[in-house]
Amino acid sequence: MKKYECDVCGYVYDPAVGDPDHGIAPGTPFEEIPDDWSCPECGVDKSQFSPK
């Protein structure tokens, strides 16, 4: 699974880790994250992420 990086702050979403603090379980591919999810570091929406 690909990692995705926030274009604004550089936060890297790693599917192996997920974002459990915001309801995203480990093993969740970026494509399966709900569209209303936002970067846990800076708050921008999912569209501001690029494959790493």
Side-chain angles (χ1 to χ4, degrees), residues 3-50:
K3 295 179 182 180
Y4 281 74
E5 184 173 12
C6 178
D7 298 331
V8 175
C9 73
Y11 168 82
V12 175
Y13 175 77
D14 182 349
V17 177
D19 183 14
D21 292 343
H22 298 98
I24 308 300
T28 303
F30 188 79
E31 297 80 11
E32 292 181 13
I33 295 174
D35 289 337
D36 63 353
W37 177 82
S38 58
C39 177
E41 296 291 320
C42 71
V44 298
D45 64 46
K46 189 177 162 184
S47 70
Q48 298 294 310
F49 280 72
S50 300

